[in-house]
Amino acid sequence: GAGVSQSPRYKVAKRGQDVALRCDPISGHVSLFWYQQALGQGPEFLTYFQNEAQLDKSGLPSDRFFAERPEGSVSTLKIQRTQQEDSAVYLCASSLARQFSYEQYFGPGTRLTVT
Amino acid sequence: AQSVTQLDSQVPVFEEAPVELRCNYSSSVSVYLFWYVQYPNQGLQLLLKYLSGSTLVESINGFEAEFNKSQTSFHLRKPSVHISDTAEYFCAVSDTGGFKTIFGAGTRLFVKA
């Protein structure tokens, strides 16, 4: 299909391990967002890219979290030295244009469990 | 800072009954408002949005929401629900000049036969 895809869908990491979560946005979408969704909560904004530029990373919880989108398409969210509080579903969304009036299309998410 | 409050975490309702899912927001600037829906085992998808103009917006499957600036609300309504409307519904707000979308905690709508 032509939707947003994320991989892996499930990830179990031991505390202290590094993880990398991948997002493939819809082709041609300029904007890309990462969210963290804890159990029973709504998605919480992490970071925003416009093409390859990371314009807002104010939602990243600590310097262990790092996101990149080097060629303006695929994006990777990396978490270093994972901790139990990092356990959540990580959602990626993309949008056709820069304006926030445009619909965000969400991927299925990556469920991260840190043991 | 913006915030979104969804006043009900769960709403059980019988099929063909009306339903209202409540959403209040706080913001000091102009906003866009959204309702997203997440059906079981599916990703989030946009249900409807308010950008400007008419304060009443509708979706293709019979939901509607009304932007009330004075009460800072954007409640979602449907006059007659179906079993297939069972899902989690998220209200969200975006600053028209910024990048963040702030989501509420969600309301789980459970439609019973």
Side-chain angles (χ1 to χ4, degrees), chain A residues 33 35-37 41-45 91 93 104 106, chain B residues 2-6 23 34-37 44-46 89-94 100-106:
Chain A
F33 309 81
Y35 296 89
Q36 181 190 61
Q37 186 174 18
Q41 299 297 315
E44 287 200 19
F45 172 86
L91 298 171
Q104 293 183 41
F106 283 81
Chain B
Q2 296 167 328
S3 66
V4 176
T5 302
Q6 291 185 244
C23 172
F34 307 84
W35 276 98
Y36 281 83
V37 60
L44 279 160
Q45 53 189 281
L46 182 69
Y89 293 79
F90 293 92
C91 181
V93 59
S94 290
K100 288 184 181 180
T101 300
I102 307 299
F103 284 81

CSV table of all heavy atoms in Angstrom, one decimal, chain A residues 33 35-37 41-45 91 93 104 106, chain B residues 2-6 23 34-37 44-46 89-94 100-106:
chain,number,residue,atom,x,y,z
A,33,PHE,N,6.5,13.6,11.4
A,33,PHE,CA,6.4,13.8,12.9
A,33,PHE,C,6.6,12.5,13.6
A,33,PHE,O,6.3,11.4,13.1
A,33,PHE,CB,4.9,14.2,13.2
A,33,PHE,CG,4.4,15.4,12.5
A,33,PHE,CD1,3.9,15.3,11.2
A,33,PHE,CD2,4.4,16.7,13.0
A,33,PHE,CE1,3.4,16.3,10.5
A,33,PHE,CE2,3.9,17.8,12.4
A,33,PHE,CZ,3.4,17.6,11.1
A,35,TYR,N,5.8,10.7,17.4
A,35,TYR,CA,5.1,10.9,18.7
A,35,TYR,C,5.4,9.7,19.5
A,35,TYR,O,5.7,8.6,19.0
A,35,TYR,CB,3.5,10.9,18.4
A,35,TYR,CG,3.0,12.0,17.6
A,35,TYR,CD1,3.0,12.0,16.2
A,35,TYR,CD2,2.6,13.2,18.3
A,35,TYR,CE1,2.5,13.1,15.5
A,35,TYR,CE2,2.1,14.3,17.6
A,35,TYR,CZ,2.0,14.2,16.2
A,35,TYR,OH,1.6,15.3,15.5
A,36,GLN,N,5.2,9.8,20.8
A,36,GLN,CA,5.3,8.8,21.8
A,36,GLN,C,4.0,8.6,22.5
A,36,GLN,O,3.4,9.6,22.9
A,36,GLN,CB,6.4,9.1,22.9
A,36,GLN,CG,6.6,8.0,23.9
A,36,GLN,CD,7.5,8.5,25.1
A,36,GLN,OE1,7.1,9.5,25.7
A,36,GLN,NE2,8.6,7.9,25.3
A,37,GLN,N,3.4,7.4,22.5
A,37,GLN,CA,2.1,7.1,23.1
A,37,GLN,C,2.3,6.1,24.2
A,37,GLN,O,2.5,4.9,23.9
A,37,GLN,CB,1.1,6.7,22.0
A,37,GLN,CG,-0.3,6.6,22.6
A,37,GLN,CD,-1.3,6.2,21.5
A,37,GLN,OE1,-1.0,5.8,20.4
A,37,GLN,NE2,-2.6,6.5,21.8
A,41,GLN,N,-2.8,6.7,27.1
A,41,GLN,CA,-2.6,8.2,26.8
A,41,GLN,C,-2.7,8.5,25.4
A,41,GLN,O,-2.6,7.6,24.5
A,41,GLN,CB,-1.3,8.6,27.4
A,41,GLN,CG,-1.1,8.4,28.9
A,41,GLN,CD,-2.0,9.2,29.7
A,41,GLN,OE1,-2.3,10.4,29.4
A,41,GLN,NE2,-2.6,8.6,30.7
A,42,GLY,N,-2.9,9.8,25.1
A,42,GLY,CA,-2.8,10.2,23.7
A,42,GLY,C,-1.4,10.3,23.2
A,42,GLY,O,-0.4,10.3,24.0
A,43,PRO,N,-1.2,10.4,21.9
A,43,PRO,CA,0.2,10.6,21.4
A,43,PRO,C,0.8,11.9,21.9
A,43,PRO,O,0.1,13.0,22.0
A,43,PRO,CB,0.0,10.7,19.9
A,43,PRO,CG,-1.3,10.0,19.6
A,43,PRO,CD,-2.2,10.3,20.8
A,44,GLU,N,2.1,11.9,22.3
A,44,GLU,CA,2.8,13.1,22.7
A,44,GLU,C,3.8,13.4,21.7
A,44,GLU,O,4.7,12.6,21.3
A,44,GLU,CB,3.4,12.9,24.1
A,44,GLU,CG,2.4,12.9,25.2
A,44,GLU,CD,3.0,13.2,26.5
A,44,GLU,OE1,4.1,13.7,26.6
A,44,GLU,OE2,2.3,12.8,27.5
A,45,PHE,N,3.8,14.7,21.2
A,45,PHE,CA,4.8,15.2,20.2
A,45,PHE,C,6.2,15.0,20.7
A,45,PHE,O,6.6,15.3,21.8
A,45,PHE,CB,4.5,16.6,19.9
A,45,PHE,CG,5.5,17.3,19.0
A,45,PHE,CD1,5.3,17.3,17.7
A,45,PHE,CD2,6.6,18.0,19.6
A,45,PHE,CE1,6.3,17.9,16.8
A,45,PHE,CE2,7.5,18.7,18.8
A,45,PHE,CZ,7.3,18.6,17.4
A,91,LEU,N,4.9,6.5,17.3
A,91,LEU,CA,4.1,6.7,16.1
A,91,LEU,C,4.9,7.7,15.2
A,91,LEU,O,5.4,8.7,15.7
A,91,LEU,CB,2.8,7.3,16.5
A,91,LEU,CG,1.8,6.4,17.3
A,91,LEU,CD1,0.6,7.2,17.7
A,91,LEU,CD2,1.4,5.2,16.5
A,93,ALA,N,4.1,10.0,11.7
A,93,ALA,CA,3.1,10.6,10.8
A,93,ALA,C,3.7,11.4,9.7
A,93,ALA,O,4.7,12.1,10.0
A,93,ALA,CB,2.1,11.4,11.6
A,104,GLN,N,-2.5,14.7,8.9
A,104,GLN,CA,-1.4,13.9,9.2
A,104,GLN,C,-1.8,12.4,9.0
A,104,GLN,O,-2.9,12.0,9.5
A,104,GLN,CB,-0.9,14.1,10.6
A,104,GLN,CG,-0.3,15.4,10.9
A,104,GLN,CD,0.2,15.6,12.3
A,104,GLN,OE1,0.9,14.7,12.8
A,104,GLN,NE2,0.0,16.7,12.9
A,106,PHE,N,-0.9,8.6,9.8
A,106,PHE,CA,-0.2,7.9,10.8
A,106,PHE,C,0.2,6.5,10.4
A,106,PHE,O,-0.6,5.8,9.7
A,106,PHE,CB,-1.0,7.8,12.1
A,106,PHE,CG,-1.0,9.1,12.9
A,106,PHE,CD1,-1.8,10.1,12.6
A,106,PHE,CD2,-0.1,9.2,14.0
A,106,PHE,CE1,-1.8,11.3,13.3
A,106,PHE,CE2,-0.1,10.4,14.7
A,106,PHE,CZ,-0.9,11.4,14.4
B,2,GLN,N,-0.3,25.1,25.0
B,2,GLN,CA,-1.6,24.5,24.7
B,2,GLN,C,-1.9,23.2,25.5
B,2,GLN,O,-0.9,22.5,25.8
B,2,GLN,CB,-1.7,24.2,23.2
B,2,GLN,CG,-1.6,25.5,22.4
B,2,GLN,CD,-1.3,25.1,20.9
B,2,GLN,OE1,-0.7,24.1,20.6
B,2,GLN,NE2,-1.8,26.0,20.0
B,3,SER,N,-3.1,22.9,25.7
B,3,SER,CA,-3.5,21.6,26.3
B,3,SER,C,-4.9,21.2,25.8
B,3,SER,O,-5.6,22.1,25.3
B,3,SER,CB,-3.5,21.7,27.8
B,3,SER,OG,-4.5,22.6,28.3
B,4,VAL,N,-5.1,19.9,25.9
B,4,VAL,CA,-6.4,19.4,25.5
B,4,VAL,C,-6.9,18.5,26.6
B,4,VAL,O,-6.2,17.6,27.1
B,4,VAL,CB,-6.3,18.6,24.1
B,4,VAL,CG1,-7.6,17.9,23.8
B,4,VAL,CG2,-5.8,19.5,23.0
B,5,THR,N,-8.2,18.6,26.9
B,5,THR,CA,-8.8,17.8,27.9
B,5,THR,C,-10.0,17.1,27.4
B,5,THR,O,-10.9,17.7,26.8
B,5,THR,CB,-9.3,18.7,29.1
B,5,THR,OG1,-8.2,19.4,29.7
B,5,THR,CG2,-9.9,17.8,30.2
B,6,GLN,N,-10.0,15.8,27.4
B,6,GLN,CA,-11.1,15.0,27.0
B,6,GLN,C,-11.7,14.5,28.3
B,6,GLN,O,-11.1,13.7,29.1
B,6,GLN,CB,-10.7,13.8,26.1
B,6,GLN,CG,-10.2,14.4,24.8
B,6,GLN,CD,-9.9,13.3,23.8
B,6,GLN,OE1,-8.8,13.1,23.3
B,6,GLN,NE2,-10.9,12.5,23.4
B,23,CYS,N,-14.6,17.7,24.4
B,23,CYS,CA,-13.2,18.1,24.3
B,23,CYS,C,-13.1,19.6,24.6
B,23,CYS,O,-13.8,20.4,24.0
B,23,CYS,CB,-12.7,17.8,22.9
B,23,CYS,SG,-11.1,18.5,22.5
B,34,PHE,N,-8.9,19.2,15.6
B,34,PHE,CA,-9.0,17.9,14.9
B,34,PHE,C,-9.6,16.9,15.9
B,34,PHE,O,-9.5,16.9,17.1
B,34,PHE,CB,-7.6,17.4,14.5
B,34,PHE,CG,-6.8,18.3,13.7
B,34,PHE,CD1,-6.0,19.3,14.4
B,34,PHE,CD2,-6.8,18.3,12.3
B,34,PHE,CE1,-5.2,20.2,13.6
B,34,PHE,CE2,-6.0,19.2,11.6
B,34,PHE,CZ,-5.2,20.1,12.3
B,35,TRP,N,-10.3,15.9,15.2
B,35,TRP,CA,-10.7,14.7,15.9
B,35,TRP,C,-10.1,13.6,15.0
B,35,TRP,O,-10.3,13.5,13.8
B,35,TRP,CB,-12.2,14.5,16.0
B,35,TRP,CG,-12.8,15.2,17.1
B,35,TRP,CD1,-13.5,16.4,17.2
B,35,TRP,CD2,-12.9,14.7,18.5
B,35,TRP,NE1,-13.9,16.6,18.4
B,35,TRP,CE2,-13.6,15.6,19.3
B,35,TRP,CE3,-12.5,13.5,19.1
B,35,TRP,CZ2,-13.8,15.4,20.6
B,35,TRP,CZ3,-12.7,13.3,20.5
B,35,TRP,CH2,-13.4,14.3,21.2
B,36,TYR,N,-9.3,12.7,15.7
B,36,TYR,CA,-8.8,11.5,15.1
B,36,TYR,C,-9.5,10.3,15.7
B,36,TYR,O,-9.9,10.3,16.9
B,36,TYR,CB,-7.3,11.4,15.3
B,36,TYR,CG,-6.4,12.3,14.4
B,36,TYR,CD1,-6.2,13.6,14.7
B,36,TYR,CD2,-5.8,11.7,13.3
B,36,TYR,CE1,-5.5,14.4,13.9
B,36,TYR,CE2,-5.1,12.5,12.4
B,36,TYR,CZ,-4.9,13.9,12.7
B,36,TYR,OH,-4.1,14.6,11.9
B,37,VAL,N,-9.6,9.2,15.0
B,37,VAL,CA,-10.2,8.0,15.4
B,37,VAL,C,-9.2,6.8,15.2
B,37,VAL,O,-8.4,6.8,14.3
B,37,VAL,CB,-11.5,7.7,14.7
B,37,VAL,CG1,-11.3,7.5,13.2
B,37,VAL,CG2,-12.2,6.4,15.3
B,44,LEU,N,-4.1,5.6,13.8
B,44,LEU,CA,-4.9,6.8,13.9
B,44,LEU,C,-5.2,7.3,12.5
B,44,LEU,O,-4.4,7.3,11.6
B,44,LEU,CB,-4.1,7.9,14.6
B,44,LEU,CG,-4.0,7.8,16.1
B,44,LEU,CD1,-2.8,8.6,16.6
B,44,LEU,CD2,-5.3,8.3,16.7
B,45,GLN,N,-6.5,7.8,12.4
B,45,GLN,CA,-6.9,8.4,11.1
B,45,GLN,C,-7.7,9.6,11.4
B,45,GLN,O,-8.5,9.6,12.4
B,45,GLN,CB,-7.6,7.4,10.2
B,45,GLN,CG,-8.7,6.7,10.8
B,45,GLN,CD,-9.3,5.6,9.9
B,45,GLN,OE1,-10.0,5.8,8.9
B,45,GLN,NE2,-8.9,4.4,10.2
B,46,LEU,N,-7.6,10.6,10.5
B,46,LEU,CA,-8.4,11.9,10.7
B,46,LEU,C,-9.9,11.6,10.5
B,46,LEU,O,-10.3,11.0,9.5
B,46,LEU,CB,-7.9,12.9,9.8
B,46,LEU,CG,-8.5,14.3,9.9
B,46,LEU,CD1,-8.1,15.0,11.2
B,46,LEU,CD2,-8.2,15.2,8.7
B,89,TYR,N,-11.3,7.7,20.4
B,89,TYR,CA,-11.4,9.0,19.7
B,89,TYR,C,-10.4,10.0,20.4
B,89,TYR,O,-10.5,10.2,21.6
B,89,TYR,CB,-12.8,9.5,19.7
B,89,TYR,CG,-13.7,8.7,18.8
B,89,TYR,CD1,-14.2,7.4,19.3
B,89,TYR,CD2,-14.0,9.0,17.5
B,89,TYR,CE1,-15.0,6.6,18.5
B,89,TYR,CE2,-14.8,8.2,16.7
B,89,TYR,CZ,-15.3,7.0,17.2
B,89,TYR,OH,-16.1,6.3,16.4
B,90,PHE,N,-9.6,10.7,19.6
B,90,PHE,CA,-8.7,11.6,20.2
B,90,PHE,C,-9.0,13.0,19.6
B,90,PHE,O,-9.0,13.2,18.4
B,90,PHE,CB,-7.2,11.3,19.8
B,90,PHE,CG,-6.7,10.0,20.4
B,90,PHE,CD1,-6.9,8.8,19.7
B,90,PHE,CD2,-6.1,10.0,21.7
B,90,PHE,CE1,-6.4,7.6,20.3
B,90,PHE,CE2,-5.7,8.8,22.2
B,90,PHE,CZ,-5.8,7.6,21.6
B,91,CYS,N,-9.1,14.0,20.5
B,91,CYS,CA,-9.2,15.4,20.1
B,91,CYS,C,-7.8,16.0,20.1
B,91,CYS,O,-6.9,15.6,20.9
B,91,CYS,CB,-10.0,16.1,21.2
B,91,CYS,SG,-10.3,17.9,20.8
B,92,ALA,N,-7.5,16.9,19.1
B,92,ALA,CA,-6.1,17.4,19.0
B,92,ALA,C,-6.2,18.9,18.6
B,92,ALA,O,-7.2,19.3,17.9
B,92,ALA,CB,-5.3,16.6,18.0
B,93,VAL,N,-5.2,19.6,19.0
B,93,VAL,CA,-5.1,21.1,18.6
B,93,VAL,C,-3.7,21.4,18.1
B,93,VAL,O,-2.7,20.9,18.6
B,93,VAL,CB,-5.4,21.9,19.9
B,93,VAL,CG1,-4.5,21.7,21.0
B,93,VAL,CG2,-5.4,23.4,19.5
B,94,SER,N,-3.7,22.2,17.1
B,94,SER,CA,-2.4,22.7,16.5
B,94,SER,C,-2.4,24.2,16.5
B,94,SER,O,-3.4,24.8,16.1
B,94,SER,CB,-2.2,22.2,15.1
B,94,SER,OG,-2.0,20.8,15.0
B,100,LYS,N,3.7,21.9,16.5
B,100,LYS,CA,3.2,20.8,17.4
B,100,LYS,C,1.7,20.6,17.2
B,100,LYS,O,0.9,21.5,17.1
B,100,LYS,CB,3.5,21.2,18.8
B,100,LYS,CG,4.9,21.2,19.2
B,100,LYS,CD,5.0,21.4,20.7
B,100,LYS,CE,6.4,21.4,21.2
B,100,LYS,NZ,6.6,21.7,22.6
B,101,THR,N,1.4,19.3,17.3
B,101,THR,CA,0.0,18.9,17.5
B,101,THR,C,-0.1,18.3,18.9
B,101,THR,O,0.6,17.4,19.2
B,101,THR,CB,-0.5,18.0,16.5
B,101,THR,OG1,-0.4,18.6,15.2
B,101,THR,CG2,-2.0,17.6,16.7
B,102,ILE,N,-1.0,18.9,19.7
B,102,ILE,CA,-1.2,18.4,21.1
B,102,ILE,C,-2.5,17.5,21.1
B,102,ILE,O,-3.6,18.0,20.7
B,102,ILE,CB,-1.4,19.5,22.1
B,102,ILE,CG1,-0.2,20.5,22.0
B,102,ILE,CG2,-1.5,19.0,23.5
B,102,ILE,CD1,1.2,19.8,22.2
B,103,PHE,N,-2.4,16.3,21.6
B,103,PHE,CA,-3.5,15.4,21.7
B,103,PHE,C,-4.1,15.3,23.1
B,103,PHE,O,-3.3,15.4,24.1
B,103,PHE,CB,-3.1,14.0,21.2
B,103,PHE,CG,-2.9,13.8,19.7
B,103,PHE,CD1,-1.7,14.3,19.1
B,103,PHE,CD2,-3.9,13.2,18.9
B,103,PHE,CE1,-1.5,14.1,17.7
B,103,PHE,CE2,-3.7,13.1,17.6
B,103,PHE,CZ,-2.6,13.5,17.0
B,104,GLY,N,-5.4,15.0,23.1
B,104,GLY,CA,-5.9,14.6,24.4
B,104,GLY,C,-5.6,13.2,24.7
B,104,GLY,O,-5.1,12.5,23.9
B,105,ALA,N,-6.1,12.8,25.9
B,105,ALA,CA,-5.8,11.4,26.4
B,105,ALA,C,-6.7,10.3,25.7
B,105,ALA,O,-6.4,9.1,25.8
B,105,ALA,CB,-6.0,11.3,27.9
B,106,GLY,N,-7.7,10.8,25.0
B,106,GLY,CA,-8.6,9.8,24.3
B,106,GLY,C,-9.8,9.5,25.0
B,106,GLY,O,-9.9,9.5,26.3
